[in-house]
Amino acid sequence: MSVEPRQVPTVPYGELVPVTVHFDDLDALGMLHNSRYPLLVERAWAEYWHGRGFRFDGDWVAAGDMCNVIKEMRLSYERPVTRPGRYAAHLWVERLGRTGLTYGFRLCSADGAETHAQGHRVLVRVDARTLRPTPWSDHARAVAADLLRPATAETETERKVEAERDAA
């Protein structure tokens, strides 16, 4: 008997990373507990970055780009997950700055067709010794660039504001 690898559908930008909802992830109403949505997305991001050679083994100085902090997180619950099973986290990068990175995500059906929750999170790369913002490595920038969402209709003013915020 052979086991075929699980096929992961494609999306027009970013990447779908399979995630599993277990029975004990559900709350008393039989829905995925609200705290599990960001946890599943975080685990998907960790799997994505680990698969590209980024690791944290307990030494923050050696962790390099993995030494980052959350500046902001927004999450909108769209449709409840009401049963255990296979789902996906759709991951992409909205903005890649010198020291900051904004990523978007959706927790969705395994094929990416149905959205259960969506949001974004802003990370800032920090120096492990000073905890001050520090630039992403060229390697991290290259990996993140592969996930950049195609440009949307944004004004020149919005781009300037983002550039000024990133320079700070």
Side-chain angles (χ1 to χ4, degrees):
M1 178 171 129
S2 66
V3 176
E4 293 184 32
R6 194 161 55 167
Q7 296 294 322
V8 178
T10 60
V11 285
Y13 58 89
E15 186 163 321
L16 282 178
V17 177
V19 297
T20 301
V21 171
H22 299 276
F23 175 77
D24 61 352
D25 291 323
L26 305 180
D27 65 14
L29 297 174
M31 294 186 285
L32 183 62
H33 191 276
N34 65 294
S35 68
R36 299 295 190 176
Y37 289 82
L39 179 66
L40 290 169
V41 171
E42 178 68 22
R43 288 177 179 164
W45 273 111
E47 182 178 324
Y48 181 83
W49 286 100
H50 291 175
R52 281 141 189 88
F54 295 87
R55 299 262 186 272
F56 172 69
D57 296 320
D59 179 355
W60 284 114
V61 174
D65 294 293
M66 295 300 283
C67 187
N68 55 69
V69 296
I70 301 169
K71 180 177 180 178
E72 173 186 311
M73 181 167 181
R74 183 189 60 79
L75 178 60
S76 174
Y77 301 95
E78 307 296 332
R79 166 177 276 178
V81 170
T82 58
R83 63 181 184 266
R86 295 179 191 251
Y87 294 86
H90 178 195
L91 311 174
W92 66 88
V93 171
E94 289 283 343
R95 190 180 73 77
L96 175 58
R98 191 176 71 80
T99 63
L101 174 113
T102 302
Y103 70 72
F105 61 86
R106 291 186 310 128
L107 184 65
C108 52
S109 56
D111 64 0
E114 183 177 318
T115 299
H116 294 281
Q118 61 186 331
H120 76 262
R121 192 161 97 165
V122 179
L123 298 177
V124 177
R125 163 85 163 89
V126 295
D127 179 276
R129 290 182 181 95
T130 66
L131 299 181
R132 300 291 307 152
T134 193
W136 298 102
S137 70
D138 290 341
H139 180 66
R141 295 182 69 71
V143 170
D146 287 342
L147 289 179
L148 276 171
R149 183 177 187 170
T152 56
E154 63 179 336
T155 66
E156 187 62 33
T157 303
E158 289 171 325
R159 280 184 237 150
K160 287 179 183 177
V161 168
E162 286 184 1
E164 289 171 8
R165 180 177 64 190
D166 190 44

